[in-house]
Amino acid sequence: MLLAGVLIVCAVVVALVKGWDARVTLIGAGLLMACIGGMPMAPLNAFAKSMTNSGLIQAVCSVMGFAMAVRFTECDKHLINAMASVISRVRFFLIPGVVICTYLVNIALPSAAGTAAAAGAIFIPLLMAAGVGPALAAAAVKCGTYGSMLNPGLAHNPFVAKIAGVDVMDVIAFHYKANIASLIVATICITVIAHILKEDKGHIPEHLKVDANFKVNPLFALMPVVPILILLLGSTGLIPFLKMGVPQAMIIGAILTLVVTRTKPKDLSDAFFDGMGMAYGKILGIIISAGVFVSGLTTIGLVKWFIDIMLNNPAIVKLCAALGPFILGLLVGSGDAATFAFNEAITPYAPEFGMSQVQMGSMATLGGTLGRTMSPIAGATIICAGIAGVNPMEITKRNAIPMLCALTVGMLILLF
């Protein structure tokens, strides 16, 4: 059964690399392993249990609902243009400014592809118009698309919080230093690479103009970050009465957006609930599928075998938590499946390896996120490449060193 399990896992990796649907692949593999293990109902029970995971559904669906609401009202455009108008005045800080601003946008709008589309449409032409090479301009935007780790609605944060039995903000409070340190390192690296490759100036774009006539409404620009401000001010105790859950903050943000933009309530409501439905299908669908896959791994005995090996070799656990999700995220363009699977299968046993569950879960999350940020087949990479008119591999070539350095620094901070 162990041999069959290893072969199935290898087949899953190959299928994901070839671009097969992650949900179908994970569910199919989980069912097959459970049948071989003699417990065909185990993955079906895991599927049913994951469907009603209230903590995840509330956080993920409400955040994506709010993200769709601000996109519908075009508040995201006002936020991005407000940032662009500031950084365009300081040329020396243009590339690092774009990386950091994209990162900040991704905190407010926790979708790498959505951030790449929204921020890339402004920042990539801005950089190219300023003389930055197209591939480097796209890489700078892509480099900042992992700010969502600081958003309490990112599916991995409440997932780790649930495993550890702590509040989601406690998880963010644990890993935010490593996350920000990795951003600083990645920003410095890509700025140096731009200088070495001489792609930080001299490019003359054809038929490209940045829209300097866009009139930014400060209130509109503020709306996307309102829920994050509420959650941060409340959780840190600066304004105690603002301490609330993620769904409540998102609803307040949506209501304020409705008032400020004077959008028709029905239209904004439709956008909000469309976003919630998309979140369940796209994000929670992968979580549910990962649960089925893990159930199959458990039934066939692979999880116990893997845990036994790591118990006898504690150093392997730390290496797997860091590199496992990173490598798979790089190969398949999404760190979600690998990270959810690792966190569900291994992270509950973290104390047996001398680590806290929050620590191990944060390592897996950061590894998967950075792997996806470096991947040439990630949706955000392809979007940035399309805007810049370059091959996605050109972006990965420029992001490889920054992401590897970010991974090294981030993991060292999380470990020690």
Side-chain angles (χ1 to χ4, degrees):
M1 286 198 300
L2 289 176
L3 178 59
V6 171
L7 291 175
I8 291 171
V9 170
C10 291
V12 167
V13 173
V14 172
L16 292 176
V17 170
K18 288 186 175 182
W20 290 23
D21 183 81
R23 290 165 295 183
V24 173
T25 302
L26 291 173
I27 291 175
L31 287 170
L32 178 58
M33 287 188 286
C35 289
I36 294 174
M39 298 178 64
M41 287 302 296
L44 300 182
N45 293 334
F47 185 96
K49 183 180 178 181
S50 299
M51 285 179 65
T52 56
N53 193 325
S54 60
L56 289 175
I57 293 172
Q58 290 176 9
V60 176
C61 289
S62 62
V63 167
M64 294 309 295
F66 176 73
M68 286 296 290
V70 297
R71 182 182 302 175
F72 174 76
T73 56
E74 297 191 341
C75 287
D76 55 345
K77 288 186 179 180
H78 287 268
L79 173 63
I80 292 165
N81 276 279
M83 292 180 173
S85 65
V86 173
I87 63 174
S88 62
R89 299 171 187 170
V90 189
R91 179 175 177 76
F92 179 78
F93 295 104
L94 199 55
I95 292 174
V98 164
V99 176
I100 293 170
C101 285
T102 303
Y103 184 91
L104 294 174
V105 171
N106 196 214
I107 295 177
L109 307 173
S111 165
T115 298
I122 300 297
F123 293 147
I124 291 175
L126 172 68
L127 288 173
M128 292 171 64
V132 177
L136 203 288
V141 170
K142 186 62 170 65
C143 190
T145 55
Y146 68 99
S148 56
M149 271 196 71
L150 299 186
N151 189 310
L154 178 71
H156 301 291
N157 287 325
F159 193 70
V160 172
K162 183 177 176 63
I163 292 172
V166 299
D167 186 76
V168 65
M169 293 307 294
D170 293 330
V171 175
I172 295 175
F174 179 83
H175 67 58
Y176 83 93
K177 291 181 181 178
N179 202 275
I180 292 175
S182 70
L183 171 68
I184 293 171
V185 170
T187 302
I188 293 172
C189 286
I190 198 165
T191 304
V192 172
I193 288 172
H195 182 70
I196 292 174
L197 296 177
K198 297 181 179 180
E199 294 184 355
D200 56 341
K201 57 184 178 180
H203 174 70
I204 302 175
E206 296 180 6
H207 312 297
L208 178 62
K209 287 185 178 181
V210 177
D211 185 6
N213 297 319
F214 188 91
K215 188 176 181 180
V216 174
N217 184 316
L219 283 179
F220 282 35
L222 181 63
M223 288 303 102
V225 299
V226 164
I228 305 302
L229 291 175
I230 292 174
L231 291 168
L232 291 176
L233 292 173
S235 64
T236 56
L238 293 175
I239 305 180
F241 77 87
L242 288 180
K243 187 173 179 59
M244 63 184 71
V246 174
Q248 292 87 338
M250 297 301 153
I251 291 294
I252 292 174
I255 292 172
L256 289 175
T257 301
L258 175 67
V259 172
V260 168
T261 60
R262 291 176 290 181
T263 306
K264 289 183 179 179
K266 182 184 181 303
D267 292 343
L268 188 134
S269 175
D270 288 344
F272 190 93
F273 285 104
D274 284 346
M276 289 183 65
M278 186 183 301
Y280 198 97
K282 298 292 185 180
I283 299 174
L284 289 167
I286 295 178
I287 298 174
I288 294 169
S289 304
V292 172
F293 182 67
V294 170
S295 176
L297 289 174
T298 303
T299 302
I300 209 168
L302 271 180
V303 173
K304 185 178 184 303
W305 175 67
F306 189 48
I307 291 172
D308 288 341
I309 290 177
M310 289 192 294
L311 280 171
N312 296 322
N313 302 275
I316 293 180
V317 180
K318 298 177 181 179
L319 187 63
C320 288
L323 291 180
F326 176 84
I327 293 172
L328 197 54
L330 171 63
L331 292 176
V332 305
S334 170
D336 287 347
T339 303
F340 282 127
F342 182 91
N343 280 336
E344 184 162 345
I346 308 299
T347 298
Y349 303 94
E352 298 180 32
F353 307 123
M355 302 172 69
S356 71
Q357 292 165 332
V358 173
Q359 181 183 23
M360 181 177 284
S362 296
M363 290 177 65
T365 303
L366 182 60
T369 302
L370 291 175
R372 182 259 303 153
T373 306
M374 180 177 162
S375 174
I377 61 173
T381 306
I382 294 171
I383 291 170
C384 289
I387 295 172
V390 298
N391 189 306
M393 277 304 300
E394 295 302 315
I395 298 176
T396 295
K397 289 177 183 177
R398 288 156 179 80
N399 268 346
I401 293 177
M403 290 303 106
L404 289 172
C405 291
L407 178 70
T408 302
V409 170
M411 291 308 167
L412 286 175
I413 293 174
L414 288 174
L415 280 173
F416 304 107

Coordinates of all heavy atoms in Angstrom, one line a residue, residues 336-380:
D336 N -1.4 26.8 -2.9 CA -2.5 26.5 -2.0 C -2.7 25.0 -1.7 O -2.8 24.5 -0.6 CB -3.9 27.0 -2.6 CG -4.0 28.5 -2.5 OD1 -3.2 29.1 -1.8 OD2 -4.8 29.1 -3.2
A337 N -2.7 24.2 -2.8 CA -2.9 22.7 -2.6 C -1.8 22.1 -1.7 O -2.1 21.4 -0.8 CB -3.0 22.0 -4.0
A338 N -0.6 22.4 -2.0 CA 0.5 21.8 -1.2 C 0.5 22.3 0.2 O 0.7 21.5 1.1 CB 1.9 22.2 -1.9
T339 N 0.2 23.6 0.4 CA 0.2 24.2 1.7 C -0.9 23.6 2.6 O -0.7 23.3 3.7 CB 0.2 25.7 1.7 OG1 1.2 26.2 0.9 CG2 0.3 26.3 3.0
F340 N -2.1 23.6 2.0 CA -3.2 23.1 2.7 C -3.0 21.6 3.1 O -3.3 21.2 4.2 CB -4.5 23.2 1.9 CG -5.1 24.6 1.9 CD1 -5.4 25.2 0.8 CD2 -5.4 25.3 3.1 CE1 -5.9 26.5 0.8 CE2 -5.9 26.5 3.2 CZ -6.2 27.2 2.0
A341 N -2.5 20.8 2.1 CA -2.3 19.4 2.4 C -1.3 19.2 3.5 O -1.4 18.4 4.4 CB -1.8 18.7 1.1
F342 N -0.2 20.0 3.4 CA 0.9 19.9 4.5 C 0.4 20.3 5.8 O 0.6 19.6 6.8 CB 2.1 20.7 4.1 CG 3.2 20.6 5.1 CD1 4.2 19.7 4.9 CD2 3.3 21.4 6.2 CE1 5.3 19.6 5.8 CE2 4.3 21.3 7.1 CZ 5.3 20.4 6.9
N343 N -0.4 21.4 5.9 CA -0.8 21.9 7.2 C -1.9 21.0 7.8 O -1.9 20.8 9.0 CB -1.4 23.3 7.0 CG -0.4 24.4 7.0 OD1 0.7 24.2 7.5 ND2 -0.7 25.5 6.4
E344 N -2.7 20.4 6.9 CA -3.7 19.5 7.5 C -3.1 18.1 7.9 O -3.5 17.6 9.0 CB -4.8 19.2 6.5 CG -5.9 18.3 7.0 CD -7.2 18.4 6.2 OE1 -7.3 19.3 5.3 OE2 -8.1 17.6 6.4
A345 N -2.1 17.7 7.2 CA -1.5 16.4 7.5 C -0.4 16.4 8.6 O -0.4 15.5 9.5 CB -0.9 15.7 6.3
I346 N 0.4 17.4 8.6 CA 1.6 17.5 9.4 C 1.5 18.5 10.6 O 1.9 18.2 11.7 CB 2.9 17.7 8.6 CG1 3.0 16.8 7.4 CG2 4.1 17.6 9.4 CD1 3.0 15.3 7.8
T347 N 1.0 19.7 10.3 CA 1.1 20.7 11.3 C 0.4 20.4 12.6 O 0.9 20.8 13.7 CB 0.4 22.0 10.7 OG1 1.2 22.4 9.6 CG2 0.4 23.2 11.7
P348 N -0.7 19.6 12.7 CA -1.2 19.2 14.0 C -0.2 18.5 14.9 O -0.4 18.5 16.1 CB -2.4 18.3 13.6 CG -2.8 18.8 12.3 CD -1.6 19.2 11.6
Y349 N 0.8 17.9 14.3 CA 1.8 17.1 15.1 C 3.0 18.0 15.4 O 4.0 17.4 15.8 CB 2.2 15.9 14.3 CG 1.0 15.0 13.9 CD1 0.4 15.0 12.7 CD2 0.6 14.0 14.9 CE1 -0.7 14.2 12.4 CE2 -0.5 13.2 14.5 CZ -1.1 13.3 13.3 OH -2.2 12.5 13.0
A350 N 3.0 19.3 15.1 CA 4.1 20.1 15.2 C 4.8 20.0 16.6 O 6.1 20.0 16.7 CB 3.8 21.6 14.9
P351 N 4.1 20.0 17.7 CA 4.7 19.9 19.0 C 5.6 18.7 19.2 O 6.6 18.7 19.9 CB 3.5 19.8 20.0 CG 2.4 20.5 19.3 CD 2.6 20.1 17.9
E352 N 5.3 17.6 18.5 CA 6.2 16.4 18.6 C 7.5 16.6 17.9 O 8.5 15.9 18.1 CB 5.5 15.2 17.9 CG 4.1 14.8 18.6 CD 3.5 13.7 17.9 OE1 4.2 12.8 17.4 OE2 2.2 13.6 17.9
F353 N 7.6 17.7 17.1 CA 8.9 18.0 16.4 C 9.6 19.2 17.0 O 10.5 19.7 16.5 CB 8.6 18.3 14.9 CG 7.9 17.2 14.2 CD1 6.7 17.5 13.6 CD2 8.3 15.9 14.2 CE1 6.0 16.5 12.9 CE2 7.6 14.9 13.6 CZ 6.4 15.2 12.9
G354 N 9.1 19.6 18.2 CA 9.7 20.7 18.9 C 9.3 22.1 18.3 O 10.0 23.1 18.5
M355 N 8.2 22.2 17.6 CA 7.7 23.4 17.0 C 6.3 23.7 17.4 O 5.6 22.7 17.7 CB 7.8 23.4 15.5 CG 9.2 23.1 14.9 SD 9.2 22.8 13.1 CE 8.8 24.4 12.5
S356 N 5.9 24.9 17.4 CA 4.5 25.2 17.6 C 3.7 25.0 16.3 O 4.3 25.1 15.2 CB 4.3 26.6 18.1 OG 4.5 27.6 17.1
Q357 N 2.4 24.8 16.4 CA 1.6 24.6 15.2 C 1.5 25.9 14.4 O 1.5 25.9 13.2 CB 0.2 24.2 15.7 CG 0.2 22.8 16.2 CD -1.1 22.5 17.0 OE1 -1.8 23.4 17.5 NE2 -1.5 21.2 17.1
V358 N 1.5 27.0 15.1 CA 1.5 28.3 14.4 C 2.8 28.5 13.6 O 2.9 29.0 12.5 CB 1.3 29.5 15.3 CG1 1.5 30.8 14.6 CG2 -0.1 29.4 16.0
Q359 N 4.0 28.1 14.2 CA 5.3 28.2 13.6 C 5.4 27.4 12.4 O 5.8 27.9 11.3 CB 6.4 27.8 14.6 CG 7.8 27.9 14.1 CD 8.8 27.4 15.1 OE1 8.5 26.6 16.0 NE2 10.0 27.9 15.0
M360 N 5.0 26.1 12.5 CA 5.1 25.2 11.3 C 4.1 25.6 10.2 O 4.5 25.6 9.0 CB 4.8 23.8 11.7 CG 4.9 22.8 10.6 SD 4.7 21.0 11.1 CE 6.3 20.7 11.9
G361 N 2.9 26.0 10.6 CA 1.9 26.4 9.6 C 2.3 27.7 8.9 O 2.1 27.8 7.7
S362 N 3.0 28.6 9.6 CA 3.4 29.8 9.0 C 4.6 29.6 8.0 O 4.6 30.2 6.9 CB 3.9 30.8 10.1 OG 2.9 31.2 10.9
M363 N 5.4 28.6 8.4 CA 6.5 28.3 7.5 C 6.0 27.7 6.2 O 6.4 28.0 5.1 CB 7.5 27.3 8.1 CG 8.3 27.8 9.3 SD 9.3 26.6 10.1 CE 10.4 26.1 8.7
A364 N 5.0 26.8 6.3 CA 4.4 26.1 5.1 C 3.7 27.2 4.2 O 3.8 27.2 3.0 CB 3.5 25.0 5.5
T365 N 3.0 28.1 4.9 CA 2.3 29.1 4.1 C 3.2 30.1 3.4 O 3.0 30.4 2.2 CB 1.4 30.0 5.1 OG1 0.5 29.1 5.8 CG2 0.6 31.0 4.3
L366 N 4.3 30.5 4.1 CA 5.3 31.4 3.4 C 6.0 30.7 2.3 O 6.2 31.3 1.2 CB 6.3 31.9 4.4 CG 7.3 32.9 3.9 CD1 6.7 34.2 3.3 CD2 8.3 33.3 5.0
G367 N 6.4 29.4 2.5 CA 7.0 28.7 1.5 C 6.2 28.5 0.2 O 6.6 28.8 -0.9
G368 N 4.9 28.1 0.4 CA 4.0 28.0 -0.7 C 3.7 29.3 -1.5 O 3.7 29.3 -2.7
T369 N 3.6 30.4 -0.7 CA 3.3 31.7 -1.3 C 4.5 32.2 -2.1 O 4.3 32.7 -3.2 CB 3.0 32.7 -0.2 OG1 1.9 32.2 0.6 CG2 2.7 34.1 -0.8
L370 N 5.7 32.0 -1.6 CA 6.9 32.5 -2.3 C 7.1 31.6 -3.6 O 7.6 32.1 -4.6 CB 8.1 32.5 -1.4 CG 8.1 33.5 -0.3 CD1 9.3 33.3 0.6 CD2 8.1 34.9 -0.9
G371 N 6.8 30.3 -3.5 CA 7.0 29.4 -4.6 C 6.0 29.8 -5.7 O 6.4 29.9 -6.9
R372 N 4.8 30.1 -5.4 CA 3.8 30.6 -6.4 C 4.3 32.0 -6.9 O 4.1 32.2 -8.1 CB 2.5 30.7 -5.7 CG 1.3 31.2 -6.6 CD 1.0 32.6 -6.5 NE 0.6 32.9 -5.1 CZ 0.8 34.1 -4.6 NH1 1.3 35.1 -5.3 NH2 0.5 34.4 -3.3
T373 N 4.8 32.8 -6.1 CA 5.3 34.1 -6.6 C 6.4 34.0 -7.6 O 6.5 34.8 -8.5 CB 5.7 35.0 -5.4 OG1 4.7 35.1 -4.5 CG2 6.1 36.4 -5.9
M374 N 7.2 32.9 -7.5 CA 8.3 32.7 -8.5 C 7.9 31.9 -9.7 O 8.6 31.9 -10.7 CB 9.4 32.0 -7.7 CG 10.7 31.7 -8.5 SD 11.9 30.9 -7.5 CE 13.0 30.1 -8.7
S375 N 6.7 31.2 -9.6 CA 6.3 30.3 -10.7 C 6.0 31.0 -12.0 O 5.3 32.0 -12.1 CB 5.1 29.5 -10.2 OG 4.6 28.7 -11.3
P376 N 6.5 30.4 -13.1 CA 6.2 31.0 -14.4 C 4.8 30.7 -14.9 O 4.3 31.3 -15.9 CB 7.3 30.3 -15.3 CG 7.6 29.0 -14.7 CD 7.4 29.3 -13.2
I377 N 4.1 29.7 -14.3 CA 2.8 29.3 -14.8 C 1.7 29.8 -13.8 O 0.5 29.5 -14.0 CB 2.7 27.8 -15.0 CG1 2.9 27.1 -13.6 CG2 3.6 27.3 -16.0 CD1 2.7 25.6 -13.7
A378 N 2.0 30.6 -12.8 CA 1.0 31.2 -11.9 C 0.2 32.2 -12.7 O 0.7 32.9 -13.6 CB 1.7 31.9 -10.7
G379 N -1.1 32.3 -12.4 CA -2.0 33.2 -13.1 C -1.5 34.6 -13.0 O -1.6 35.3 -14.0
A380 N -1.0 35.1 -11.9 CA -0.5 36.4 -11.7 C 0.7 36.7 -12.6 O 0.9 37.8 -13.2 CB -0.1 36.7 -10.3

